[in-house]
Amino acid sequence: QVQLVESGGGLVQPGGSLRLSCQLSGFTLDYYAIGWFRQAPGKEREGVSCISSSDSMTLYADSVKGRFTISRDNAKNTAYLQMNGLKLEDTAVYYCAAAPLEVGLTIRVADYDDWGQGTQVTVSS
């Protein structure tokens, strides 16, 4: 059974940092691209970042470029999203998701098949 579990969300002040983790089980991380997405209240889910499997190529949404860093540890079957310089507008539920390799590097929601349950990130003073 494929399962993705996010953790690491919380409440942080503007300018602060959080690191989200995505633990995968039921399949091997080596053969999948991993994406991070977020959904704020009343808004559509949007892509934040993704990372390929073997060569670890990355892609970022313009809104987080230079502040967020995606990484993966295949040995631990875990992906991460380091978020620095957090802004009020980063407040959302953050989800990780997996896509088969043939999809390529993408942060389109429709390209991802398996999703975690989400973790809340709240940026507030």
Side-chain angles (χ1 to χ4, degrees):
Q1 181 181 357
V2 173
Q3 192 173 15
L4 299 93
V5 179
E6 303 94 337
S7 61
L11 173 64
V12 63
Q13 293 185 340
S17 298
L18 284 174
R19 188 176 82 153
L20 305 182
S21 298
C22 175
Q23 178 69 52
L24 295 89
S25 61
F27 61 99
T28 302
L29 187 58
D30 304 54
Y31 303 109
Y32 290 83
I34 300 298
W36 283 97
F37 299 81
R38 65 186 181 187
Q39 188 166 18
K43 294 188 176 181
E44 291 188 356
R45 191 169 300 188
E46 63 175 359
V48 173
S49 181
C50 67
I51 186 167
S52 64
S53 62
S54 58
D55 56 9
S56 292
M57 291 181 64
T58 58
L59 179 67
Y60 295 94
D62 287 343
S63 58
V64 305
K65 203 171 293 184
R67 299 187 298 123
F68 291 11
T69 303
I70 191 171
S71 62
R72 61 194 293 157
D73 185 336
N74 286 5
K76 295 182 178 180
N77 237 26
T78 302
Y80 304 95
L81 185 68
Q82 177 67 44
M83 306 186 296
N84 299 328
L86 283 162
K87 304 177 180 180
L88 297 175
E89 53 265 39
D90 293 320
T91 295
V93 177
Y94 282 71
Y95 301 87
C96 65
L101 280 183
E102 56 265 29
V103 170
L105 210 59
T106 170
I107 51 173
R108 289 199 325 144
V109 172
D111 289 331
Y112 287 78
D113 299 324
D114 298 290
W115 293 80
Q117 83 292 344
T119 185
Q120 177 70 47
V121 171
T122 303
V123 185
S124 175
S125 55

